[in-house]
Amino acid sequence: GENVEQHPSTLSVQEGDSAVIKCTYSDSASNYFPWYKQELGKRPQLIIDIRSNVGEKKDQRIAVTLNKTAKHFSLHITETQPEDSAVYFCAAKAGGSARQLTFGSGTQLTVLP
Amino acid sequence: NAGVTQTPKFQVLKTGQSMTLQCAQDMNHEYMSWYRQDPGMGLRLIHYSVGAGITDQGEVPNGYNVSRSTTEDFPLRLLSAAPSQTSVYFCASSYEGHRETQYFGPGTRLLVL
């Protein structure tokens, strides 16, 4: 089955700096890669996703890049703000599979004021 | 719409007790899943369902049973609770046409003593 590894497990940045979180996946059939944000005590919520026919996707301060050859994808957050502090999860899913997402282990991002 | 709801929010069990975690959604979503979240391990899929009457195992199904008699409800049963099942449990749903996007419930925190 799919295996998703996520690094780093914790990340601290100064407000206004950029943050990058990286994930690798094992199943070359995976073609959908979402990122979820989970604030303390809350449910995970989708913030951005990318499909394997696209190399990069942006949404305001958030971007995701995908390298299918190397089987890794990354989340980039620019101009970080204190409200970006949360746990971020990457995930992967194989196309045509009824099975749901395989998640990474999460990154605790702390934005220091 | 209430979205995805879960009850109870918090539960304490003794080893060997049984209980059912409730999950309901009012969005007419075809797909429903159960995940458990443990520190440093991300979200792991327990069981999932692609429609009423159809369920399948995920990554960590042992010790859990599910059924899907209606589109709206997807209960998770612990037959004989063990301390290793102490975790936060999230139910999620998604719909045909965008099955990958998981809408999560608020979670149930379970402590097994």
Side-chain angles (χ1 to χ4, degrees), chain A residues 32 36 38 43 89 100, chain B residues 33 37 57 100 102 104-105:
Chain A
Y32 177 70
Y36 282 78
Q38 186 180 28
R43 70 193 78 186
F89 293 98
Q100 301 304 303
Chain B
S33 305
Q37 183 175 28
Q57 296 181 348
E100 301 95 345
Q102 302 283 285
F104 285 91

Side-chain angles (χ1 to χ4, degrees), chain B residues 21-91:
Chain B
L21 279 62
Q22 301 292 343
C23 174
Q25 52 90 11
D26 62 358
M27 300 176 285
N28 204 32
H29 285 179
E30 296 88 345
Y31 303 95
M32 297 186 74
S33 305
W34 276 102
Y35 296 87
R36 60 176 289 173
Q37 183 175 28
D38 302 293
M41 301 190 75
L43 292 143
R44 291 182 293 169
L45 182 65
I46 304 172
H47 285 285
Y48 65 99
S49 170
V50 300
I54 306 171
T55 64
D56 205 348
Q57 296 181 348
E59 182 184 355
V60 288
N62 291 342
Y64 308 95
N65 279 354
V66 292
S67 61
R68 184 100 180 269
S69 57
T70 67
T71 300
E72 295 78 19
D73 300 298
F74 192 43
L76 179 72
R77 297 183 186 85
L78 284 70
L79 301 178
S80 179
S84 61
Q85 294 179 304
T86 293
S87 188
V88 179
Y89 291 85
F90 286 99
C91 178

